[in-house]
């Protein structure tokens, strides 16, 4: 992995911290930053040292203020059809690693959609979430129209998208958009605390649980239950399952081998 211009990468105790680093532009996601994010995720996928990925924004003002509007201004109709930001966020959602968005300041437009593509969202009380794309004459096209309604319900998603209103972290927690609130100077600790709970779990089981939830969510119930059954059958065949159950019986912590 090469050093990046707009993304700071650090791996600590199995957590890969990705810090979007354009604070002077409120961490707006230009093409170069999106490419670096894609590259980092691609690298992490093949790297067993990385157990989990935490995304945050540099500085105090913003997680990410959305797609870079200067670049957006020049884009033509057919350019909206390339995988682009939507394709990248799909890869993030489908990553075999657990992803956490640690949000302080603005998570707007494509920044909010990035957080929506992560598995777990943690925010400060005064974080600011919103999908203000309609102000620009476009729609939330990086999964926002779909993921927001699946996470907070269709009524709330319609309200947020059509009014472009911006909600704070407390409101986001109340409606289920974020799972945890943290004080500003405690956000990283909270993210690592949540991460440490995930990292104790069997890595194969993590992948299978993510797959069953994400793939099952939009399938009919019978198909979704079948996905769950098949995923469980795979889990039953792993060394991790032998070790996890054995460790419980021996009253010790499990040491999973990811096999
Ligand atoms: N793009 C480009 N530059 C930005 C962006 C952005 N999204 N956000 C902030 N900046 C820049 C500003 O232009 C400014 O630059 P400069 O100093 O050169 O003038 C600098 O960052 C600082 O910004 P402000 O002075 O505005 O800072 P404030 O703290 O006063 O305000 C806000 C911060 C509220 C975040 C404000 O900057 C803002 O409203 N930003 C735009 C938010 C927005 O509309 N986001 C949605 C963008 S569209 C999108 O994300 C679409 C995703 C789906 C695309 C799918 C494509 C197919």
């Amino acid at each position: 992995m090469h050093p990046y211009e707009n993304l700071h990468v650090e791996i600590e105790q199995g957590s890969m911290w990705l810090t979007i680093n354009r604070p002077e532009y409120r961490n707006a996601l230009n093409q170069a930053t999106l490419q670096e994010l894609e590259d980092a995720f691609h690298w992490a996928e093949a790297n067993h040292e990385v157990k989990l990925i935490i995304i945050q924004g540099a500085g105090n003002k913003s997680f990410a203020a959305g797609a870079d509007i200067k670049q957006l201004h020049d884009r033509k109709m057919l350019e909206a059809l390339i995988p682009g930001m939507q394709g990248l966020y799909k890869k993030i959602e489908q990553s075999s690693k657990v992803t956490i968005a640690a949000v302080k300041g603005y998570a707007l437009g494509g920044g909010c959609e990035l957080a929506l593509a992560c598995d777990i969202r943690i925010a400060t009380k005064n974080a600011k979430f919103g999908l203000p794309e309609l102000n620009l004459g476009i729609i939330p096209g990086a999964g926002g129209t779909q993921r927001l309604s699946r996470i907070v319900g269709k009524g709330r998603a319609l309200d947020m998208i059509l009014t472009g209103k911006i909600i704070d972290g407390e409101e986001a927690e109340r409606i289920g958009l974020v799972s945890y609130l943290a004080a500003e100077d405690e956000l990283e600790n909270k993210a690592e605390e949540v991460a440490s709970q995930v990292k104790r779990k069997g890595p194969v089981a993590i992948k299978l649980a993510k797959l069953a939830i994400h793939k099952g969510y939009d399938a009919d119930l019978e198909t979704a239950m079948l996905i769950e059954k098949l995923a469980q059958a795979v889990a039953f065949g792993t060394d991790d399952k032998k070790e996890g159950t054995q460790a419980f019986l021996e009253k010790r912590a499990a040491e999973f081998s990811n096999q």
Side-chain angles (χ1 to χ4, degrees):
M1 190 174 36
H2 301 293
Y4 298 128
E5 200 183 326
N6 305 310
L7 193 64
H8 181 71
V9 183
E10 210 171 307
I11 301 173
E12 219 174 286
Q13 295 172 354
S15 295
M16 184 187 204
W17 288 81
L18 299 180
T19 307
I20 302 161
N21 194 19
R22 300 180 80 217
E24 65 281 22
Y25 298 111
R26 304 297 178 263
N27 300 321
L29 298 160
N30 63 359
Q31 288 304 317
T33 310
L34 293 169
Q35 187 52 57
E36 290 176 359
L37 261 174
E38 178 141 15
D39 192 68
F41 265 85
H42 185 72
W43 183 87
E45 202 56 37
N47 194 306
H48 292 306
E49 194 195 338
V50 177
K51 309 260 179 266
L52 180 142
I53 298 169
I54 303 172
I55 305 178
Q56 63 177 355
N60 292 326
K61 292 189 174 159
S62 190
F63 173 74
D68 189 307
I69 299 172
K70 282 187 207 109
Q71 292 182 340
L72 209 54
H73 178 258
D74 296 327
R75 296 186 78 181
K76 306 279 181 298
M77 188 168 85
L78 293 182
E79 289 177 80
L81 291 178
I82 60 164
M85 210 178 217
Q86 193 199 62
L88 169 61
Y89 293 0
K90 190 168 152 197
K91 283 186 190 162
I92 291 176
E93 186 175 74
Q94 291 179 349
S95 167
S96 68
K97 320 281 174 172
V98 173
T99 51
I100 296 179
V103 178
K104 60 177 170 240
Y106 294 104
L108 300 181
C112 182
E113 291 170 296
L114 174 59
L116 292 170
C118 290
D119 298 316
I120 300 172
R121 284 160 293 283
I122 304 174
T124 60
K125 281 185 188 175
N126 55 5
K128 292 181 172 58
F129 292 88
L131 291 174
E133 280 92 336
L134 270 63
N135 293 331
L136 303 170
I138 59 170
I139 67 168
T145 61
Q146 304 309 308
R147 289 200 183 95
L148 185 65
S149 46
R150 280 161 175 74
I151 292 170
V152 303
K154 192 161 134 184
R156 287 192 172 112
L158 278 162
D159 179 24
M160 280 182 71
I161 291 171
L162 297 179
T163 64
K165 75 178 182 187
I166 291 176
I167 61 170
D168 65 18
E170 281 187 294
E171 173 76 351
E173 193 211 19
R174 197 181 62 75
I175 66 172
L177 178 50
V178 308
S179 299
Y180 303 93
L181 286 180
E184 201 156 306
D185 55 358
E186 278 298 310
L187 184 63
E188 289 189 6
N189 288 343
K190 185 71 192 171
E192 192 43 54
E193 181 193 315
V194 175
S196 68
Q197 291 174 40
V198 175
K199 285 185 285 190
R200 278 187 229 127
K201 309 293 184 277
V204 183
I206 284 178
K207 284 177 216 160
L208 293 170
K210 273 194 67 167
L211 186 147
I213 294 167
H214 285 309
K215 295 291 175 200
Y217 196 85
D218 290 320
D220 63 276
L221 187 59
E222 197 161 334
T223 307
M225 290 297 195
L226 179 62
I227 292 171
E228 184 186 78
K229 266 263 161 278
L230 295 174
Q232 184 72 303
V234 173
F236 268 40
T238 62
D239 291 346
D240 279 4
K241 180 253 188 186
K242 273 190 214 126
E243 167 61 10
T245 49
Q246 190 68 30
F248 176 84
L249 296 172
E250 292 172 6
K251 301 187 189 305
R252 60 172 173 83
E255 282 179 37
F256 294 111
S257 62
N258 194 14
Q259 303 284 321

